Amino acid sequence: MSSVPERSEIDDENKWDLESIFASDEDWETALADISDRIDDLSVYEGRVTESPETLLELLELREDLLRDVSTVSTYASLRSSEDTRDGEYQAMSARAESLAADARSAASFVRPELQALDRAELDDFVETEPVLAEYDHYFDDVLRAKPHTRSKEVEELLADLSDVTDAASDVYSMLSNADMEFPTVENPDGEDVEITLGNFTKLQKHPNRSFRREVHEVFYDHWADVRNGVGTALKKSVTSDVKLARARNYDTAREAALDGPNVPIDAYDTLVDTVRENLDYLHRHADLKATALGVDDLRMWDLYASMADGEPPSIPYGQAVEYVVDAVEPLGEAYQERLAEGLDSRWVDVYENRGKRSGAFSAGTYDTQPFILMNYQNDVSSMYTLAHELGHSMHSELANEAQPWQYSDYDIFVAEVASTVNETLLTHHLLETVDDDTLRRHVLDEYLERFRSTLFRQTMFAEFELRIHETVENDGALTPDRFDDLYRELKEAFYEPAVVDDRIAREWMRIPHFYYGYYVYQYSTGISAATAIVDRIRSEGENAAADYREALRMGGSAYPAEILEQAGVDTTDAGYIETALSTYDETLDEMERLIR
């Protein structure tokens, strides 16, 4: 029987090194208590933020010291809880850290409203008197920009204090899907029992045996049907929370509030959806080509992930994937490549799936720690690409942390998804140009097409779904599981017109955790589009373009996303960069069609 191991069965060398943050849980407890004692130190400055330049600098430095430590204890607890979501002790630690973080945000909530009492000229006078404040210039600009949506001190404190409550729907969904749900076991074509998990579902949907794919599809989504009311309620509450918080800050819509945070224009969202909608014929062509490759009359939902490449999918052991990824990033420069390789040797990555482990993959870390990457590595091409993706995030953080002060070390997701996808794109070029194994080359080509399908098109479909469900609440409509199904099925039918859309796939919204992140998913689509343009430039112009890109990564959060991507050669105000990605997708379909036909 193929089973998922317990965490204790995983070798330490394949686990991330959380002891580099705290040597023990006892040390974490000590740090937590210390932070709790220091939170009240901020109150001394309440009402005095603009008293003098010296006072403002003292406060900003005190706030930094506190919030940096809060980030460290929160990250440690969150990563520990991700290792095994069934572990009640670490779940409790994570909850305590979240509560402490909410207390710290609440205690510091007076800073922005009091700063907004000044105008730009007055802040410039402060900087002239205390030159160190010049480091905060972009921060000041961002604070003043948000003035129309910043409430009174009392309201800001309340909103900050409620943050762990307003995030409750996401927490409930995460615990339900990762810790409580146990999916059935199915028998594969070799007669082996295979336990379906969130981590291996997509891989099982790639199995060459169509009957097996169908069984996995049906069993998996039937199991979700058992919790549709609970998941539907969680998502409804999450959307409602987004809408109410936006209204509390004087925004007309939740989307406006979400995009205003990173200062991304609404037009960027609409341009993405409109441009992709206008070019669905590319996706339909992909679906028709897949039906031809699979030799089926009707493409079904359990066929969408199946490979168009002939032969058994190649096994890519983790060590081999590491070698490929390290070699692939060579165009980004020797220093970048060496830093990435050193990180992999320093246990940045928690490699394999274990029972209770959080599904999916992510990169995390703080200004004062190394990066940490959660994987559920499955020894396949897709997992290799996921590794490249998360390493892009981690290297982005490394370069930004090195170049920027703390207040600019964090960066917006709009930019982050470019860094991850640049690494994916470089990996594709490297493998297609250097690997002699024809089977692997065909599967890499297929994976590249799947990345376009699942990132550019599928995430845009998600973005449209997210917009529609928020608009439903904003227009006083009711969100029920049936309504979610209807909206999702309508979109699925439009995007996958040549395929047969069944009733089960209408529940797919239930398994997408990103819907709880508040207008997050569209950035995957803009990210792959910008990354395609950047890699094209690096491949044609060489080191000059690579240097521009590295500088964009080093900018961290010291500028707005559009300005950062402009440094890398991408104009986000024009649909051209999306059209470039669509053109590349079309050209790759041409190449695959030649192989198939």
Side-chain angles (χ1 to χ4, degrees), residues 10-232:
I10 305 292
D11 292 337
D12 285 346
E13 66 182 15
N14 292 316
K15 298 176 183 177
W16 49 26
D17 181 20
L18 298 191
E19 288 77 13
S20 65
I21 308 178
F22 291 106
S24 67
D25 293 346
E26 289 73 21
D27 289 345
W28 179 88
E29 291 282 358
T30 299
L32 189 81
D34 175 67
I35 295 168
S36 182
D37 291 340
R38 290 158 49 203
I39 287 179
D40 287 342
D41 293 347
L42 290 172
S43 63
V44 175
Y45 293 88
E46 190 166 355
R48 300 175 51 216
V49 173
T50 61
E51 178 181 85
S52 70
E54 293 78 13
T55 300
L56 175 58
L57 180 60
E58 288 175 9
L59 168 62
L60 292 176
E61 291 178 342
L62 177 65
R63 186 190 64 157
E64 174 182 337
D65 290 341
L66 179 69
L67 295 184
R68 282 172 67 168
D69 289 345
V70 167
S71 178
T72 300
V73 298
S74 297
T75 296
Y76 177 84
S78 175
L79 295 178
R80 282 297 188 199
S81 68
S82 295
E83 293 176 342
D84 187 346
T85 58
R86 305 166 303 168
D87 190 317
E89 180 180 350
Y90 283 129
Q91 299 309 316
M93 285 174 59
S94 183
R96 289 167 60 202
E98 289 177 9
S99 179
L100 180 72
D103 289 344
R105 288 191 295 269
S106 178
S109 62
F110 66 88
V111 178
R112 291 175 71 91
E114 289 192 34
L115 264 178
Q116 288 165 351
L118 299 177
D119 59 28
R120 185 72 240 194
E122 291 171 319
L123 274 172
D124 288 342
D125 289 340
F126 269 44
V127 172
E128 185 175 350
T129 302
E130 179 53 81
V132 178
L133 288 172
E135 290 186 357
Y136 294 88
D137 185 69
H138 177 66
Y139 167 74
F140 293 149
D141 184 70
D142 203 39
V143 168
L144 294 180
R145 185 180 62 83
K147 188 172 183 176
H149 304 288
T150 303
R151 302 297 302 274
S152 67
K153 177 180 73 68
E154 292 79 13
V155 173
E156 286 295 328
E157 184 175 351
L158 176 62
L159 292 175
D161 199 38
L162 286 174
S163 60
D164 58 340
V165 176
T166 54
D167 291 339
S170 176
D171 294 339
V172 169
Y173 173 79
S174 179
M175 291 302 296
L176 174 67
S177 59
N178 289 295
D180 292 343
M181 292 186 71
E182 293 187 6
F183 295 92
T185 295
V186 293
E187 184 178 302
N188 69 17
D190 295 326
E192 299 173 332
D193 288 336
V194 179
E195 178 185 359
I196 302 174
T197 68
L198 290 175
N200 71 9
F201 170 72
T202 298
K203 180 179 180 179
L204 296 177
Q205 287 289 274
K206 297 177 181 180
H207 197 283
N209 186 294
R210 195 184 193 204
S211 296
F212 178 67
R213 294 199 305 268
R214 177 175 181 169
E215 181 183 7
V216 171
H217 172 87
E218 292 178 348
V219 167
F220 181 75
Y221 284 112
D222 284 347
H223 200 63
W224 278 106
D226 295 338
V227 293
R228 64 185 277 103
N229 291 317
V231 175

Side-chain angles (χ1 to χ4, degrees), residues 335-356:
Y336 183 103
Q337 185 182 39
E338 290 180 353
R339 187 80 160 269
L340 184 146
E342 289 170 2
L344 288 166
D345 289 338
S346 302
R347 293 175 57 193
W348 281 7
V349 185
D350 201 80
V351 182
Y352 298 111
E353 182 179 15
N354 60 253
R355 192 170 296 276

Side-chain angles (χ1 to χ4, degrees), residues 399 403-404 545-556 564 567-568:
L399 294 178
Q404 298 296 332
D548 286 343
Y549 171 66
R550 293 195 303 270
E551 181 58 31
L553 297 183
R554 278 195 286 265
M555 290 172 72
I564 293 171
Q567 167 65 37

Side-chain angles (χ1 to χ4, degrees), residues 430-580:
H430 171 72
L431 292 172
L432 291 177
E433 292 168 1
T434 63
V435 172
D436 293 329
D437 185 333
D438 288 342
T439 299
L440 177 56
R441 288 173 58 82
R442 287 195 296 271
H443 281 274
V444 165
L445 191 61
D446 183 71
E447 179 69 23
Y448 193 42
L449 285 170
E450 284 299 297
R451 292 275 158 170
F452 272 108
R453 180 188 70 81
S454 62
T455 305
L456 182 53
F457 287 95
R458 187 167 183 255
Q459 298 296 335
T460 301
M461 183 186 72
F462 286 171
E464 193 168 348
F465 176 74
E466 193 170 14
L467 176 60
R468 291 191 182 190
I469 61 179
H470 280 83
E471 287 179 338
T472 298
V473 172
E474 287 161 349
N475 294 323
D476 299 321
L479 285 178
T480 65
D482 288 343
R483 180 59 175 159
F484 285 129
D485 284 355
D486 291 343
L487 288 171
Y488 195 86
R489 178 170 186 147
E490 179 184 335
L491 289 168
K492 200 77 174 183
E493 288 174 340
F495 274 70
Y496 292 93
E497 184 179 290
V500 178
V501 176
D502 63 278
D503 291 337
R504 289 181 175 89
I505 201 63
R507 304 176 198 139
E508 187 177 30
W509 58 270
M510 297 177 65
R511 77 175 186 94
I512 310 300
H514 295 83
F515 290 149
Y516 296 84
Y517 299 172
Y519 287 101
Y520 182 97
V521 293
Y522 81 98
Q523 297 164 117
Y524 288 114
S525 303
T526 54
I528 192 173
S529 301
T532 302
I534 288 170
V535 171
D536 282 350
R537 182 170 175 242
I538 290 173
R539 285 170 57 81
S540 63
E541 300 179 21
E543 173 55 24
N544 287 339
D548 286 343
Y549 171 66
R550 293 195 303 270
E551 181 58 31
L553 297 183
R554 278 195 286 265
M555 290 172 72
S558 63
Y560 295 118
E563 298 168 343
I564 293 171
L565 291 183
E566 185 177 355
Q567 167 65 37
V570 174
D571 180 2
T572 57
T573 64
D574 192 298
Y577 76 106
I578 301 171
E579 292 166 351
T580 296

Side-chain angles (χ1 to χ4, degrees), residues 289-309:
L289 191 61
K290 181 161 289 195
T292 299
L294 297 178
V296 299
D297 293 331
D298 294 317
L299 193 73
R300 306 300 294 257
M301 293 297 100
W302 49 84
D303 297 323
L304 292 183
Y305 290 94
S307 175
M308 292 191 291

Side-chain angles (χ1 to χ4, degrees), residues 3-16 82-84 197 199-200 203 315-322 348-361 373-380 383 387:
S3 62
V4 179
E6 293 292 342
R7 186 160 184 84
S8 59
E9 300 176 65
I10 305 292
D11 292 337
D12 285 346
E13 66 182 15
N14 292 316
K15 298 176 183 177
W16 49 26
S82 295
E83 293 176 342
D84 187 346
T197 68
N200 71 9
K203 180 179 180 179
S315 175
I316 310 291
Y318 178 70
Q320 180 64 74
V322 166
W348 281 7
V349 185
D350 201 80
V351 182
Y352 298 111
E353 182 179 15
N354 60 253
R355 192 170 296 276
K357 186 177 180 180
R358 177 173 164 173
S359 63
I373 296 174
L374 180 137
M375 291 282 295
N376 284 276
Y377 196 82
Q378 298 289 324
N379 288 335
D380 56 15
S383 290
L387 177 64

